[in-house]
Amino acid sequence: MNLRNRRNKRHLELHNGALNDILFILLLFFLIVSTLANPNVIKLTLPKAKSNTKAKQTVVISINDKREFYVGTNKVPFESLKQMLIPAIGRETVDPTIVINAEKTVPVEDVVKVMEVAREIGAKVVLATANPQSKG
């Protein structure tokens, strides 16, 4: 029997407790950051609907309670809205879509004006609504 060799063998262990902690913290960080990252930076109170209004968002137009128009996050006067939308819609080859986020106190005529501009440039329109279960 060769007992000597058995005693001289060393078992190397790698302690990875600290590595696990760091990876867990990084995972939490990225999860929290990803939930905070929202393309709709302009805070609006949307009207509620029973159906789902998700669509591919080519361009997002927001209208706040002061009747200010935003293309994405850029404030745009209504007169130049069409000129801002044409290049953005021109990049999309299949079903260009405009999503309208309008504060629920905005008059319907403002939403209809945006819909008419979208029809003129040949884009589909989706009116964004809030989830009926959400608070607000």
Side-chain angles (χ1 to χ4, degrees):
M1 276 205 223
N2 198 355
L3 295 176
R4 246 194 217 174
N5 286 341
R6 195 176 284 187
R7 286 185 203 160
N8 290 337
K9 284 188 182 178
R10 294 187 183 187
H11 296 285
L12 296 177
E13 291 183 22
L14 178 64
H15 297 285
N16 58 0
L19 180 64
N20 288 339
D21 292 343
I22 292 171
L23 290 176
F24 182 70
I25 290 171
L26 283 174
L27 177 68
L28 283 178
F29 172 76
F30 286 118
L31 283 174
I32 291 170
V33 168
S34 67
T35 58
L36 295 177
N38 188 355
N40 301 328
V41 175
I42 301 163
K43 297 293 179 190
L44 301 174
T45 305
L46 299 174
K48 298 190 184 316
K50 292 181 182 178
S51 64
N52 195 353
T53 58
K54 289 184 180 176
K56 182 181 174 206
Q57 297 183 4
T58 304
V59 178
V60 178
I61 298 177
S62 302
I63 310 170
N64 65 11
D65 56 349
K66 298 174 190 161
R67 298 177 77 175
E68 297 170 332
F69 295 85
Y70 293 85
V71 176
T73 56
N74 301 325
K75 186 175 175 182
V76 176
F78 179 76
E79 295 76 30
S80 62
L81 186 65
K82 187 174 181 179
Q83 289 78 22
M84 289 288 291
L85 291 176
I86 290 174
I89 295 298
R91 287 184 239 131
E92 193 64 32
T93 57
V94 179
D95 290 336
T97 305
I98 294 176
V99 178
I100 301 174
N101 288 329
E103 182 86 32
K104 63 180 173 181
T105 59
V106 171
V108 176
E109 63 192 36
D110 290 344
V111 176
V112 171
K113 285 196 266 184
V114 173
M115 292 172 114
E116 288 174 353
V117 169
R119 182 184 48 82
E120 289 174 10
I121 61 174
K124 292 182 180 180
V125 177
V126 175
L127 181 60
T129 58
N131 188 354
Q133 286 85 21
S134 67
K135 296 177 183 177

